[in-house]
Amino acid sequence: MLQSPSVWPQLTVLAQVLPNRDLFPVRAAYGDSESTTIGLNYLTADEPMWFTLADVLVSKILTGKTPIILRAVRFAPMATQTGLKPITIAGRQIHPAKDDFYKELVNHRQSLKRRIAPEEAEKRRLKAEEQGVKILANATSYGIFVELNVQDLRKAEEMIAHGAYDAEWPCDSHDYEKPGRYFHPLLATLITGAARLMLSLAERQVLDQGLDWVFCDTDSLAIANTANLPLDEFKQRALKARDWFSRLNPYEEKGSILQLEKVNFPLDCENELEKLNPPYCLAISAKRYALFNRTQDGDLIIRKASGHGLGYLLPPYDEPSEKRRERIARIGVPLWEEDFWRETIRAAYSEDPDQVPLDSRFVVPASSQYAATKPGQLAWFKIYNEGKSPADQVKPFNFLLSLYAKSRLQMAADDPAALAGPQWRKREPHPASPYFKDIMKAANQAFDRERPEQPVPFHWLKTVARSVARYHLHPERKFIGGDFDQRGVLKRRHVHALAFQPIGKEADEIEEREALGEDEEPLERPFSLFAQKQVMEFVDDIKRECGLGERDIMDKAGVSHHTLGKAREGTPVSPVTLRKVVFAAAQLRDSFRNMQSET
């Protein structure tokens, strides 16, 4: 049924379901992490929840079990919007009242790619037009429908919040999320639901071929030969899974809607199936992976690599700009990240995979570049600017550098006396400096940005090597088996949803906070009082089941009797505290049940 293109326009449905070990996308703070991430996991809930019909189909396709549907709402288009006019994009006219805008963009991009000629000037022009059409299609097919511009308010104002439940509730917030001009949450919701359905169909086809997958993104799936099949048989099965999607291709260029990535082929041999040579993959977590080939003499050729979690760092050594652009276009990362991945892969094949040896090029202070866009950031440089000429002062929108202090454990070994000083007594320093291309010069002028009068000695600064020392041990908490010291195939979790917490805009200032070393301070929105009440009822049910006292919960969670009392009385408490309480109660319950089973 889902191979028929005529079925997909009928999926404009939102369904209210009562999840009972059904597969649904769940965003949560998994494990001991305070930041939220989304994973397709088994979900159980005591209250009904809304999902797209596409998500309901995902669960049915991958589990064989039909979720309990309580009600459904179908949305249908009405009359065509008036006033629509044709637009010309890179030489092709598209009329939105007659044409499928996105389908035409994709077709036009493919035609531009076919027309790219060897003449340098013409090649550059067509390549620029092709990239422009690609960016336009990507930006307008989803992002504009969920555009939220966060406005910082001087003081908290009372607002009305909407969430997973039918009821709304009042809340106070310093952030106002102003919708963009084309904000349309229904379209955005249906688009993402359909994308997840495409991924689940790809997973189903791969599993039916006796294969598995190693990682996926919103629009791609990396097929893995976990059964160690002969190469020819693996390729045959993978291509069969891909070809299942041929009937869903709506574009002028025929074939499967799923394309083979160019990393599967030797250079300059893209789409020549007889030369198909799938790479190996080292996957650390959902967005940290590298694809590579091994030569006969054991050398490594990086075909594609992820820079996720590395991009905030400035390169520790130079690379000519032209080569940098070429390398990023070819494998996705600059030279220093390619070198880092090569050493990480070598370590994975060694007898000590947890230690990645890095040479002296990485032993320079780690730094990040950002712009002084806020008055508070300029205030850090007030003392630095004193007595300097206007040309030498740090001014608004100048580039600045954020550096990073060593951990207390490192300082205990390198300079234990400093830990007793005022800069380390309550917290580690937050080094900053004016922008210098020479990182050594910047490091020698570093100061504590919260105490600008106090310099930060060079030997207090963390190196790039130290900053990336645990990169390859990053956990994948949203699945079972993904802790930093675990390896192998992950398994989906079973999530019991007790309450819902609003998270606001997912990426609000995330890049800036990461560059300033503040990525471990996620934005927190409070639970509604109704949700807080549900959490505490869950805790009290566990207390009754296991014969626990209030002291047992307090000691396990590390919270006070006063805090628990506030939570039960309906006084808002922090989301972090509520999570500590509920995780502590669940751990005590599991220990009790295990002991009962043994008895």
Side-chain angles (χ1 to χ4, degrees), residues 162 396 491 562:
H162 302 268
K491 295 181 179 179
H562 177 67

Side-chain angles (χ1 to χ4, degrees), residues 242-456:
R242 181 199 65 154
D243 292 342
W244 187 91
F245 293 86
S246 296
R247 291 176 57 188
L248 289 174
N249 185 355
Y251 306 116
E252 292 174 352
E253 188 171 304
K254 300 307 178 183
S256 177
I257 196 173
L258 298 185
Q259 298 179 336
L260 288 171
E261 293 282 352
K262 61 183 179 182
V263 296
N264 291 293
F265 302 91
L267 294 176
D268 302 322
C269 297
E270 187 174 350
N271 292 328
E272 296 183 29
L273 291 181
E274 66 278 4
K275 297 181 180 179
L276 183 66
N277 183 26
Y280 293 94
C281 177
L282 174 64
I284 295 170
S285 61
K287 295 184 178 181
R288 301 188 183 196
Y289 60 86
L291 303 175
F292 61 96
N293 293 121
R294 298 180 67 90
T295 62
Q296 290 184 348
D297 58 3
D299 196 12
L300 297 173
I301 301 174
I302 306 296
R303 300 301 310 278
K304 183 179 180 181
S306 162
H308 187 78
L310 297 173
Y312 74 98
L313 292 171
L314 288 176
Y317 46 88
D318 291 334
E319 177 183 13
S321 57
E322 186 65 29
K323 288 189 175 182
R324 175 185 172 89
R325 287 192 295 269
E326 182 276 329
R327 193 183 310 276
I328 291 176
R330 177 166 48 85
I331 65 173
V333 295
L335 174 63
W336 81 271
E337 293 180 22
E338 179 185 10
D339 291 341
F340 171 69
W341 270 111
R342 186 175 285 106
E343 295 306 320
T344 302
I345 295 168
R346 284 174 178 158
Y349 278 96
S350 72
E351 295 181 356
D352 192 4
D354 290 344
Q355 299 295 324
V356 178
L358 299 174
D359 59 39
S360 60
R361 296 176 299 170
F362 291 82
V363 189
V364 297
S367 62
S368 300
Q369 174 183 300
Y370 62 99
T373 57
K374 297 181 180 179
Q377 295 169 346
L378 278 177
W380 301 339
F381 291 85
K382 182 178 180 180
I383 294 177
Y384 175 86
N385 285 338
E386 289 179 356
K388 290 184 171 61
S389 66
D392 294 329
Q393 292 179 355
V394 174
K395 295 179 281 296
F397 300 100
N398 281 175
F399 281 125
L400 311 174
L401 289 181
S402 173
L403 299 101
Y404 304 90
K406 293 178 178 178
S407 67
R408 290 183 177 274
L409 187 62
Q410 283 182 281
M411 288 298 295
D414 298 344
D415 189 0
L419 294 177
Q423 287 178 270
W424 287 88
R425 191 169 297 148
K426 293 184 178 180
R427 56 143 185 87
E428 68 276 6
H430 290 159
S433 88
Y435 178 80
F436 294 100
K437 190 172 182 180
D438 184 350
I439 185 59
M440 292 300 184
K441 186 175 182 180
N444 286 320
Q445 298 200 38
F447 58 87
D448 189 338
R449 67 177 186 244
E450 295 185 14
R451 298 168 182 164
E453 73 283 357
Q454 297 184 352
V456 175

Side-chain angles (χ1 to χ4, degrees), residues 48 132 184 242 361 500 591:
H184 199 311
R242 181 199 65 154
R361 296 176 299 170
F500 299 94
S591 297

Side-chain angles (χ1 to χ4, degrees), residues 80-99:
T80 303
Q81 179 180 328
T82 59
L84 295 176
K85 299 178 181 179
I87 183 175
T88 300
I89 299 172
R92 174 175 289 200
Q93 188 180 81
I94 303 175
H95 199 306
K98 303 175 182 178
D99 303 322

